[in-house]
Amino acid sequence: MTLAERLRNETRDLHEQTEELLYTEPLKTGTLTPEQYRHLLQVHAVFHRELEAAIDRNPAFFTEYNQTNRRKSPWLTADLAGLNVSFPDRDSDLFANWTPIELLGAAYVGEGSMLGGKVVFHQLQKSPDLQPLLQDARFYRGYGAEALEKWKGFGAILASQKEVDHDTIIEAARRTFLAYHAVFRQTKSLNEALA
């Protein structure tokens, strides 16, 4: 079994839990509120900013990853600005002590989220209250026509990893899904405190 197959199989439970946490039911039923949409963007903003910062600290390892063409933070900054919401303050470093191999597991989660972006963007269109907010939205459009090519490129990076590191990468991906859960709860609490 390849590393990509193992990642998919061995993180499926946490992947599904994360999808449910991120307002899946309101997305599917077209009832997502502007507040929930803003919260989703904030969650992704914190996650991707922290992941990008950690990858930036390891440029030699991530040469093939080509971080410059994979940054999501600028899209999230623009989307939040369009809602008159500032980028969340940096109060933690989710990936501060992660090795490059562990960060590859985190990148798997981040890159995987781009594959689902088209589906989520389509689901966002179902919520009438979001229509005015989506005209210039960027993050959920993801990589657009380049999505499959970028995913294949990331798959090649995974395929080149030593088998001795596979378990570490998988465990890091599992920890990354849990990090998403923590960011979701933290940003939700902060929003509730400000309301």
Side-chain angles (χ1 to χ4, degrees):
M1 187 178 296
T2 68
L3 175 57
E5 290 168 338
R6 283 192 63 198
L7 278 161
R8 185 171 51 254
N9 292 336
E10 295 178 39
T11 64
R12 180 174 285 125
D13 58 337
L14 285 169
H15 186 179
E16 290 171 358
Q17 289 171 29
T18 305
E19 283 183 350
E20 286 303 313
L21 186 68
L22 298 177
Y23 302 117
T24 296
E25 194 58 33
L27 274 168
K28 287 181 180 177
T29 59
T31 58
L32 193 78
T33 67
E35 293 77 21
Q36 289 170 324
Y37 174 60
R38 180 186 68 228
H39 182 217
L40 282 175
L41 291 175
Q42 290 172 318
V43 172
H44 292 302
V46 170
F47 174 82
H48 286 289
R49 176 192 56 213
E50 299 298 323
L51 179 57
E52 289 167 8
I55 289 173
D56 283 344
R57 290 191 294 268
N58 297 279
F61 183 86
F62 283 96
T63 301
E64 295 298 317
Y65 181 71
N66 197 356
Q67 166 98 315
T68 303
N69 293 326
R70 293 180 182 268
R71 289 189 190 280
K72 289 90 178 168
S73 292
W75 301 340
L76 288 155
T77 300
D79 286 355
L80 287 167
L83 300 175
N84 295 316
V85 176
S86 61
F87 207 84
D89 290 335
R90 183 182 188 134
D91 58 0
S92 69
D93 194 342
L94 292 175
F95 306 104
N97 300 311
W98 288 43
T99 67
I101 289 293
E102 290 172 316
L103 289 172
L104 197 56
Y108 166 79
V109 176
E111 290 303 310
S113 71
M114 292 294 92
L115 286 180
K118 282 185 178 181
V119 174
V120 173
F121 192 70
H122 176 72
Q123 291 173 334
L124 288 169
Q125 307 288 326
K126 296 179 185 179
S127 297
D129 292 345
L130 298 183
Q131 293 310 307
L133 309 177
L134 298 176
Q135 292 176 359
D136 297 320
R138 180 62 187 88
F139 174 71
Y140 281 111
R141 295 177 195 265
Y143 294 135
E146 296 180 336
L148 188 55
E149 178 185 329
K150 286 193 183 289
W151 182 249
K152 286 180 179 178
F154 185 70
I157 294 170
L158 290 176
S160 71
Q161 301 308 304
K162 298 174 191 167
E163 190 169 349
V164 69
D165 292 326
H166 289 192
D167 288 345
T168 300
I169 294 167
I170 293 164
E171 181 54 33
R174 293 183 62 78
R175 286 170 40 213
T176 302
F177 280 114
L178 294 174
Y180 246 114
H181 296 194
V183 171
F184 180 92
R185 289 190 296 272
Q186 289 165 359
T187 51
K188 188 172 187 179
S189 295
L190 180 61
N191 284 334
E192 289 169 353
L194 295 173

